[in-house]
Amino acid sequence: MIDDLLQLAQAQLGSQLKQEVGFSEEQVEKTAHVAKDAFLTQIASEALSGNLPQLLDIFNGKATSTTANPLVMRLVNQFGGDLMEKMGVSKETAAMVSNMVIPFIMSKIASPETGKAEDEGSMMSQLGLDNLDNIGGLLGGLLGKKGGLGGFFS
């Protein structure tokens, strides 16, 4: 689902990124890849911190998907930092892009079309993030060793 949402964001926000930010087609495409990495990294961090219930509330439409939500703001900050690091954009450009892309993606996650989830596990499955090898690798990167938490997630 994440890949589908990023393709939708690229299709619907691509022209806006080109016009308002001055991105080329190549930069728009790279933005989608950076967004995916940032999203996965931050979700892994949220899982490690025990914050998946907050994501579940967004997914089920019980919490706002805007930057007024602290979890969404953490995603915006992660993505903005990654844009600066991986694409070399200015802080201002990173803020503009991340405040455009992440709320768009989160609004789609919160949309009734994504369905409802009974628990964090079913939500992660619906998001396509139920493969713990992917999350484990990200957590391992966050913790400095493959698999993270002594290999628990590998």
Side-chain angles (χ1 to χ4, degrees):
M1 172 190 269
I2 296 302
D3 289 329
D4 294 337
L5 291 175
L6 289 168
Q7 287 177 351
L8 181 63
Q10 188 175 345
Q12 292 188 8
L13 298 176
S15 63
Q16 190 176 356
L17 288 170
K18 290 176 191 173
Q19 291 174 355
E20 293 181 24
V21 182
F23 274 6
S24 67
E25 185 64 37
E26 182 180 316
Q27 287 173 307
V28 171
E29 287 179 28
K30 187 166 184 176
T31 298
H33 295 292
V34 173
K36 179 178 180 178
D37 291 346
F39 185 83
L40 293 175
T41 299
Q42 190 60 41
I43 293 305
S45 177
E46 296 297 329
L48 188 61
S49 300
N51 293 335
L52 288 183
Q54 289 82 6
L55 182 60
L56 181 63
D57 285 346
I58 294 170
F59 188 86
N60 286 332
K62 294 179 181 178
T64 182
S65 61
T66 68
T67 55
N69 184 313
L71 186 144
V72 176
M73 200 62 220
R74 288 190 295 272
L75 284 164
V76 166
N77 291 334
Q78 175 72 46
F79 181 43
D82 287 359
L83 283 169
M84 290 186 297
E85 179 183 325
K86 295 177 180 178
M87 293 181 61
V89 300
S90 69
K91 184 177 182 178
E92 294 77 19
T93 299
M96 183 186 298
V97 172
S98 60
N99 279 300
M100 188 184 308
V101 173
I102 296 299
F104 176 87
I105 292 169
M106 296 308 290
S107 72
K108 298 302 180 191
I109 287 174
S111 170
E113 290 84 38
T114 59
K116 299 284 184 206
E118 293 178 21
D119 55 29
E120 291 91 355
S122 65
M123 172 193 63
M124 296 296 274
S125 178
Q126 290 179 47
L127 288 172
L129 301 175
D130 54 337
N131 180 349
L132 289 181
D133 288 338
N134 292 338
I135 298 295
L138 291 166
L139 288 173
L142 291 172
L143 299 175
K145 56 183 169 178
K146 180 142 176 56
L149 298 178
F152 178 76
F153 288 98
S154 43

